[in-house]
Amino acid sequence: MINREDWIMIKHLHAKGCFQRDIAAQLHISERTVRRALQRQGPPSRRRAGIRPSKLDPFKPLIDQLLSEQVWNAEVIFALIREQGYGGGISILRQYIQPKRALRRTRATVRFETRPGRQLQHDWGELYCLIGGERRKVYIAVNTLGYSRRFHVWASESQDAQHTYESLVQSFAHFGGVTAEVLVDNQKSAVLAHRPGGEVTWNPGFVLLAEHYGFRPRACQPRRPQTKGKDERNVGYVKQNFFQRYRAFDDLEHLNRCLRQWLAEVADPRCHGTVKEVVIERFERERPALKPLPVIVFDTSYRDTRRVAMDGYVDVRGNRYSVPAQLCGDMVAIRITLGGELRIIDAQDRLVATHRLVPAHSGWQTVPTHHARLWQNTLRVQTRDLKSYEEVA
């Protein structure tokens, strides 16, 4: 016997043109039951006596709301309703969600399987969450190993080239090795243009990263991001699982600590729905196929040049930072790490000064020893004996 929710699904799928046998298979009922429901235009009117209400009934409005927000992970929903007092099991929840999955927005594509160590897929996602008590946009870089489905996720305040490269650097360190190729979307940090014949013009910075780690860059076909569907799915998994469990953070570092803990305790030990294996166990078979990490970590700092002013300072992002006095008037290179450290390098490629970037209202940042030479060379005021003035008078 079907209930009202089953009838709604039958009506919806029939209107979409589904065959009755397919509707019956999806709802786990007989084709005859589907046909009778369509003939009577509703569920059976008779009610069976003595049916006890389900423990799930009081929580169905909350579940429907979560489903409308595209939260389809049964384990996440189960954890949320248990916090609200639900005392039943997860099986009845899965049975309630299953008929509704036909309403979920999907994009069909052919899945491409890769051998161990061959490919890593990179993608960005974005969402809003509470950081330090303020609602802020956060970008999450998700990098997924094609064979084992193990992935690394890193949150940042930007998805520019430097942060893209840093996400890959951190992922390689997390996995303990490098794949033969890295598949990216067509963001400008990696791909500048697609030319006729399939030729790709790569961002020079991404080429340097690829050469440093020894991987071959690959780009998705234009307007075809499903090419890296494994990673697209993991972006959704992070949003629907991690960010449903955790919603507020002290700062980005706190957010990334929580992400690392969640990867170790939830994402890695899970049984993957496609390969039907525990992710971390499947990764152990992929680990030997990864290429070793280089000895030197790739530098993802912002790079620029400045001319040192005659007072021994350089202007960087609205504030001034001291430089050794002997470099006044010279051109210097600056490196700004993603952690906010400023490094100043002279023409001989020597590190001559380091500062922590601070807002302009914090004042100029000065290292006293930088300007000792300027003070030594300052002309002293000439003094005379007062008797010389008496003689003039």
Side-chain angles (χ1 to χ4, degrees):
M1 182 175 180
I2 64 172
N3 54 29
R4 182 170 179 78
E5 286 80 11
D6 293 332
W7 158 244
I8 292 174
M9 289 302 303
I10 292 172
K11 182 179 178 182
H12 174 77
L13 295 174
H14 180 70
K16 290 175 61 176
C18 294
F19 291 111
Q20 292 180 12
R21 68 168 67 92
D22 295 330
I23 298 174
Q26 184 165 330
L27 298 181
H28 304 289
I29 57 179
S30 69
E31 186 178 348
R32 181 181 180 184
T33 301
V34 174
R35 183 168 60 254
R36 287 183 173 180
L38 292 172
Q39 290 173 351
R40 79 170 70 93
Q41 287 297 300
S45 57
R46 58 188 176 88
R47 297 182 179 179
R48 290 183 294 178
I51 298 178
R52 294 186 302 172
S54 168
K55 292 182 179 180
L56 196 65
D57 289 344
F59 304 94
K60 287 181 178 179
L62 174 59
I63 296 170
D64 292 339
Q65 178 184 346
L66 291 170
L67 297 179
S68 69
E69 296 172 356
Q70 298 305 306
V71 179
W72 291 91
N73 190 309
E75 294 180 359
V76 171
I77 296 175
F78 180 63
L80 291 174
I81 62 176
R82 287 198 67 178
E83 293 175 1
Q84 300 297 320
Y86 174 62
I90 195 172
S91 297
I92 189 173
L93 172 63
R94 294 186 189 278
Q95 292 172 4
Y96 179 73
I97 295 175
Q98 179 59 38
K100 300 175 180 290
R101 290 191 179 275
L103 301 176
R104 185 180 182 182
R105 296 193 297 268
T106 60
R107 291 176 294 175
T109 186
V110 177
R111 187 174 299 279
F112 175 65
E113 296 296 337
T114 56
R115 62 179 179 271
R118 176 178 175 180
Q119 187 181 93
L120 178 142
Q121 297 183 1
H122 166 82
D123 197 17
W124 281 101
E126 61 183 61
L127 73 163
Y128 284 89
C129 61
L130 289 177
I131 303 290
E134 298 181 2
R135 188 171 183 268
R136 290 169 49 186
K137 179 182 284 190
V138 172
Y139 299 92
I140 52 172
V142 179
N143 296 306
T144 305
L145 294 174
Y147 173 76
S148 66
R149 272 43 169 208
R150 192 184 185 200
F151 70 91
H152 177 259
V153 57
W154 177 65
S156 71
E157 59 188 6
S158 172
Q159 58 176 347
D160 61 9
Q162 282 71 24
H163 287 82
T164 296
Y165 306 157
E166 180 67 21
S167 77
L168 290 167
V169 169
Q170 292 201 23
S171 294
F172 293 143
H174 180 73
F175 299 134
V178 184
T179 53
E181 64 184 31
V182 172
L183 178 65
V184 298
D185 207 343
N186 293 289
Q187 65 263 41
K188 294 301 181 182
S189 58
V191 179
L192 297 181
H194 281 269
R195 296 187 176 183
E199 184 179 354
V200 177
T201 301
W202 297 100
N203 186 309
F206 191 65
V207 173
L208 290 175
L209 178 70
E211 292 175 348
H212 186 88
Y213 282 94
F215 66 80
R216 181 174 63 257
R218 282 195 57 202
C220 292
Q221 301 175 23
R223 297 173 296 279
R224 184 66 177 172
Q226 295 94 327
T227 306
K228 52 179 178 55
K230 300 166 190 172
D231 207 43
E232 292 263 339
R233 184 172 180 84
N234 279 335
V235 171
Y237 175 57
V238 175
K239 290 181 178 180
Q240 295 173 18
N241 193 303
F242 175 82
F243 284 101
Q244 296 299 325
R245 296 168 182 253
Y246 308 93
R247 298 176 181 270
F249 311 92
D250 297 336
D251 49 34
L252 276 176
E253 178 56 34
H254 179 216
L255 168 54
N256 279 307
R257 287 200 305 272
C258 291
L259 281 169
R260 290 192 292 270
Q261 181 178 354
W262 175 80
L263 285 172
E265 296 179 356
V266 178
D268 284 349
R270 80 192 191 281
C271 181
H272 195 277
T274 301
V275 297
K276 308 300 182 185
E277 286 188 67
V278 174
V279 172
I280 193 65
E281 294 176 359
R282 188 175 172 91
F283 169 73
E284 292 304 321
R285 296 205 304 275
E286 184 166 27
R287 188 197 298 272
L290 299 176
K291 295 190 290 185
L293 294 169
V295 176
I296 300 174
V297 177
F298 185 79
D299 184 5
T300 59
S301 303
Y302 293 95
R303 299 165 180 255
D304 208 341
T305 57
R306 293 290 190 276
R307 185 174 296 279
V308 181
M310 297 311 295
D311 60 358
Y313 287 89
V314 292
D315 298 320
V316 180
R317 294 187 179 179
N319 207 348
R320 307 195 78 205
Y321 300 86
S322 65
V323 177
Q326 63 268 25
L327 296 175
C328 289
D330 291 354
M331 294 295 297
V332 293
I334 66 170
R335 303 284 185 269
I336 303 175
T337 69
L338 301 188
E341 182 183 54
L342 170 64
R343 301 171 183 170
I344 302 173
I345 302 168
D346 66 9
Q348 284 71 46
D349 204 27
R350 296 175 300 191
L351 179 65
V352 295
T354 59
H355 294 274
R356 174 62 55 181
L357 288 182
V358 296
H361 61 73
S362 299
W364 297 5
Q365 300 299 297
T366 305
V367 176
T369 56
H370 285 172
H371 295 166
R373 179 178 173 182
L374 288 177
W375 289 108
Q376 292 172 0
N377 294 337
T378 300
L379 295 176
R380 296 182 178 179
V381 177
Q382 184 177 3
T383 59
R384 298 181 181 179
D385 194 310
L386 291 177
K387 292 181 179 179
S388 61
Y389 293 99
E390 294 175 356
E391 293 175 358
V392 173

